[in-house]
Amino acid sequence: MQTPSQPRAIYYIVAIQIWEYFSFYGMRALLILYLTHQLGFDDSHAIGLFSAYASLVYVTPILGGWIADRLLGNRVAVIAGALLMTLGHIVLGLESDSTMSLYLALAIIICGYGLFKSNISCLLGELYDANDSRRDGGFSLLYAAGNVGSIAAPIVCGLAAQWYGWHVGFALAGIGMFIGLMVFLSGHRHFRNTRGVNKPALQARRFVLPTWGWLLVMLCLAPVFFTLLLERNWAGYLLAAVCLIAAQMVARIMIASPQHRRALWQIVWLMLAGTLFWVLAQQGGSSISLFIDHFVDRRWLNVEVPTALFQSVNAVAVMAAGVILAWLVRPGGSSALRVWLKFAFGLTLMGAGFMLLALNAHQSQLHGHASMSMMVAGLALMGFAELFIDPVAMAQITRLNMPGVTGVLTGIYMLATGAVANWLAGMVAQQTTEAQISETAVAAYGHFFAQMGEWTLGCVTVILLIIGVRRVLGNSALRMAASED
């Protein structure tokens, strides 16, 4: 059976996604190592700043989604976000060890990410009708192909940082984002049927200035605001306030759209399960990266492999697994998995990965160093798991086809699985530094990894039990209906 061809515009979306992944994951691979090696932060301080930045990056997509839905349209929002991210990475690439310069660069990236991240998925969703069978395959393609950038980024930026300095590695991330933007702009003719700028709304005058004027003021002040949050460690307060607003927005959408309520509740539960998954997955940039840096024997063929390069492993796994997932969701395929079974499978793989890391930490206690091959295997399992989480949830959100709220719902999903998950991931990762007070460091990591694996596999058991109970109850109801007939 032939797979239906995808819309032509998807290839330009995939192209900018590749380079966005390159810029984001290139910088992410270097950040915590830069904080500990170059700026002299201790592990606890570095984890705190890393998680604050990572959480704020995912706070802004909810506002970015609102701006795109009401004012700019998804395509223009993506372009503006890409420009800001390019600028932020270039500022980070300036030769300076000032913490204020670091905070400002991170703040600009946070703003750009807000306009880009949720709206690139919504732009892809605009290419399909509500019942288009190509939708799931398109989102899987976007997710898997984007990881081409995240495979190359830690290798290119990591080696550049090791050979030429940290700031060269950061600057390369910005150059990558700019290349992606140029490619995306070259395909403008393929986006003629997508929503454009809402000119009447932008020109409407509110409190002296037109709306576009207030938008410019906000774009100028936002980096200053986020710089202060990072400098004073106030990110948690903003996150709590935004979560309350997001919960209220979801409640209002449910009240206003009773016909979509059942689907909206499913998305809420997907958000909660996705948050659990990403609390675990985001350990890769903090606690797992520090474990590799401190304890893994990284010598291969008499060459020491930079710690940053390990960030490519789960992206390679995502690429390899993408082929399998595309087969599972092909139109008419008899082995297509249900949404919650996909989530359960993804969480199972994540739990298995952590149990393997716990075993590796135990081996380190016995032999004096952790195995690089076992580390790679654990990270690969975690990367494989990702394809069973986000593409599934994002496809469900855009399938709702609710004009004016799709971008907001996507932003709220990013808030839960990105901002909240990263904040909680930082809090959880602090266990590895606190436990070192009374235990050896490697034992603390081993205990931590084992706990993560046990909790995850426990959650999988709960999900499977709920699926089983619902299936039994559903079959009972069908039998009763049949007997009455």
Side-chain angles (χ1 to χ4, degrees):
M1 180 176 178
Q2 253 189 341
T3 302
S5 61
Q6 292 287 342
R8 193 67 176 269
I10 193 176
Y11 301 109
Y12 294 92
I13 294 175
V14 164
I16 195 170
Q17 180 86 330
I18 288 172
W19 285 107
E20 185 270 325
Y21 268 51
F22 181 92
S23 67
F24 184 79
Y25 286 97
M27 188 274 280
R28 179 180 180 269
L30 300 179
L31 183 56
I32 202 160
L33 301 173
Y34 173 69
L35 297 177
T36 53
H37 288 271
Q38 184 69 17
L39 298 185
F41 288 18
D42 60 33
D43 286 3
S44 180
H45 189 185
I47 288 172
L49 178 58
F50 182 90
S51 65
Y53 158 72
S55 64
L56 289 174
V57 156
Y58 290 99
V59 167
T60 50
I62 189 169
L63 180 58
W66 185 91
I67 290 172
D69 281 339
R70 304 277 193 300
L71 301 173
L72 298 182
N74 294 314
R75 181 172 173 270
V76 173
V78 164
I79 293 169
L83 284 170
L84 284 172
M85 284 192 287
T86 300
L87 176 61
H89 284 106
I90 295 301
V91 172
L92 196 57
L94 298 176
E95 192 66 40
S96 170
D97 288 334
S98 164
T99 54
M100 187 56 66
S101 174
L102 168 70
Y103 295 146
L104 177 61
L106 295 179
I108 296 172
I109 295 170
I110 287 166
C111 296
Y113 202 78
L115 284 168
F116 185 97
K117 193 60 180 178
S118 63
N119 295 317
I120 193 71
S121 297
C122 292
L123 183 61
L124 177 59
E126 283 191 71
L127 304 182
Y128 305 100
D129 294 330
N131 298 317
D132 195 328
S133 62
R134 301 173 297 173
R135 181 184 293 268
D136 283 5
F139 274 91
S140 293
L141 176 63
L142 179 70
Y143 197 81
N147 279 275
V148 171
S150 59
I151 291 170
I155 298 171
V156 174
C157 297
L159 290 174
Q162 180 168 291
W163 294 341
Y164 305 110
W166 295 102
H167 298 285
V168 175
F170 289 132
L172 282 176
I175 293 169
M177 188 70 258
F178 183 73
I179 292 172
L181 177 59
M182 293 298 102
V183 174
F184 181 75
L185 290 174
S186 70
H188 68 93
R189 66 187 181 279
H190 299 295
F191 295 92
R192 288 171 183 161
N193 295 327
T194 59
R195 283 189 301 113
V197 172
N198 187 343
K199 292 181 180 179
L202 280 173
Q203 293 169 356
R205 190 168 292 273
R206 298 173 184 272
F207 306 108
V208 181
L209 291 177
T211 302
W212 64 262
W214 287 114
L215 189 59
L216 285 177
V217 170
M218 184 183 71
L219 288 174
C220 292
L221 293 180
V224 177
F225 173 70
F226 286 113
T227 298
L228 290 174
L229 289 183
L230 291 171
E231 181 190 14
R232 304 196 179 188
N233 197 25
W234 288 348
Y237 299 113
L238 175 64
L239 181 58
V242 172
C243 284
L244 288 174
I245 295 170
Q248 182 188 34
M249 292 174 76
V250 172
R252 290 175 62 184
I253 292 170
M254 285 187 172
I255 292 168
S257 308
Q259 70 276 23
H260 294 293
R261 199 166 294 165
R262 185 174 180 180
L264 287 167
W265 271 114
Q266 183 186 35
I267 288 168
V268 169
W269 288 111
L270 289 175
M271 287 180 185
L272 294 175
T275 300
L276 167 65
F277 176 88
W278 284 106
V279 167
L280 302 168
Q282 295 298 351
Q283 298 301 318
S286 55
S287 62
I288 292 176
S289 187
L290 291 173
F291 174 77
I292 294 169
D293 197 51
H294 296 335
F295 301 112
V296 173
D297 180 7
R298 293 180 281 113
R299 295 201 66 79
W300 182 64
L301 299 178
N302 294 321
V303 176
E304 186 173 69
V305 178
T307 302
L309 269 63
F310 285 83
Q311 298 288 324
S312 292
V313 174
N314 79 349
V316 172
V318 169
M319 286 293 295
V323 177
I324 299 172
L325 187 57
W327 176 73
L328 288 172
V329 301
R330 70 190 189 279
S334 60
S335 55
L337 300 176
R338 296 181 64 84
V339 169
W340 283 105
L341 287 177
K342 291 178 185 178
F343 261 63
F345 187 54
L347 288 169
T348 299
L349 290 172
M350 179 60 70
F354 268 103
M355 296 306 287
L356 196 55
L357 297 193
L359 178 61
N360 201 17
H362 179 66
Q363 292 295 318
S364 179
Q365 286 182 274
L366 296 178
H367 304 296
H369 58 79
S371 162
M372 182 163 63
S373 59
M374 194 177 293
M375 196 74 219
V376 169
L379 291 173
L381 281 175
M382 295 176 179
F384 189 11
E386 288 186 26
L387 272 176
F388 295 88
I389 305 297
D390 273 1
V392 177
M394 296 299 263
Q396 289 298 110
I397 291 172
T398 59
R399 185 174 281 114
L400 282 174
N401 195 28
M402 297 172 63
V405 300
T406 304
V408 174
L409 285 174
T410 306
I412 292 172
Y413 179 82
M414 295 287 181
L415 175 70
T417 60
V420 176
N422 271 287
W423 183 258
L424 293 175
M427 300 294 289
V428 169
Q430 292 291 350
Q431 292 182 35
T432 61
T433 60
E434 293 170 3
Q436 291 174 28
I437 297 171
S438 56
E439 305 177 45
T440 62
V442 69
Y445 276 103
H447 178 67
F448 172 73
F449 293 148
Q451 275 191 325
M452 297 298 100
E454 290 164 2
W455 291 349
T456 308
L457 296 176
C459 289
V460 170
T461 303
V462 172
I463 291 173
L464 293 177
L465 284 173
I466 292 172
I467 291 172
V469 169
R470 292 192 64 177
R471 183 166 294 178
V472 169
L473 292 176
N475 290 338
S476 298
L478 286 173
R479 284 194 296 269
M480 289 176 64
S483 65
E484 289 175 1
D485 291 341

